[in-house]
Amino acid sequence: MVKTKLQIMDTKPAAQTPPRGCTNFKLRQLLRRVSLVYDRAMAECGLKTTQYSLLTHVEKLAPITQAELAKAMAMDSSTLSRNLKPLQTAGWVAIQAGSDARSHALTMTASGKQKRIEAQALWKRAQIQLNETVGLDDVIALHGLIDRMTDALSLETEEAA
């Protein structure tokens, strides 16, 4: 059995030992490295990973208001607006009249659907590369840990609001 780089370097601290270092720093460090894998792949089609994610969510949820999309993606509205602008300028996402005179709905254009299909193949390649580099079992475990921590922190932030 061939071990992945992560399994070779695995040094799990004892459960009672408190973590060393800053969790936020460690997460950002990991995120930068993971993002680099996806960003390199997405660069081939001229998208950033955030733009691919937006296209995917708009296609899946459309028609959707910007406020609903921000909530679904756990983003603040101003960040979402900034990230949507290039997609609208490129003609991949359109704004249509919403259910009332004050609301607007985001939808995916035909060229946006084509761009997402092009990007999806590149995203899949990046995902496979990450799975092979880190190891599928560790990626699955990471997803589970992220989901549990996101849920726990979501509950904490909801209670504080």
Side-chain angles (χ1 to χ4, degrees):
M1 177 177 148
V2 177
K3 290 188 173 187
T4 67
K5 289 180 190 178
L6 190 60
Q7 289 168 327
I8 292 168
M9 299 182 301
D10 187 23
T11 55
K12 295 178 184 171
Q16 68 275 14
T17 304
R20 296 182 63 184
C22 174
T23 302
N24 185 52
F25 174 76
K26 288 180 173 285
L27 285 170
R28 287 179 177 269
Q29 190 175 39
L30 175 62
L31 182 58
R32 281 191 296 273
R33 291 184 180 172
V34 170
S35 292
L36 191 58
V37 172
Y38 289 92
D39 287 340
R40 285 180 178 158
M42 289 292 115
E44 289 184 38
C45 72
L47 284 179
K48 296 178 181 178
T49 54
T50 53
Q51 293 171 325
Y52 172 69
S53 182
L54 277 171
L55 286 175
T56 300
H57 278 81
V58 169
E59 183 176 47
K60 179 181 175 184
L61 303 171
I64 186 168
T65 67
Q66 189 168 321
E68 292 167 337
L69 182 59
K71 185 175 181 180
M73 295 184 73
M75 294 177 81
D76 66 84
S77 191
S78 62
T79 300
L80 180 59
S81 291
R82 246 187 341 272
N83 290 331
L84 278 171
K85 191 171 275 314
L87 302 180
Q88 293 166 312
T89 301
W92 300 326
V93 173
I95 299 177
Q96 298 178 339
S99 57
D100 62 48
R102 295 177 297 163
S103 68
H104 299 78
L106 300 168
T107 60
M108 183 86 91
T109 65
S111 63
K113 289 178 183 180
Q114 285 303 115
K115 180 54 82 171
R116 200 194 78 71
I117 289 168
E118 175 188 357
Q120 185 176 24
L122 298 170
W123 174 87
K124 282 182 181 180
R125 189 172 71 200
Q127 184 71 37
I128 290 167
Q129 179 188 345
L130 186 70
N131 291 348
E132 289 173 353
T133 301
V134 177
L136 186 59
D137 289 342
D138 287 329
V139 173
I140 292 168
L142 178 62
H143 281 227
L145 179 60
I146 290 168
D147 291 344
R148 288 191 310 277
M149 290 183 76
T150 300
D151 288 346
L153 292 169
S154 294
L155 290 174
E156 183 178 296
T157 55
E158 288 172 8
E159 290 171 1

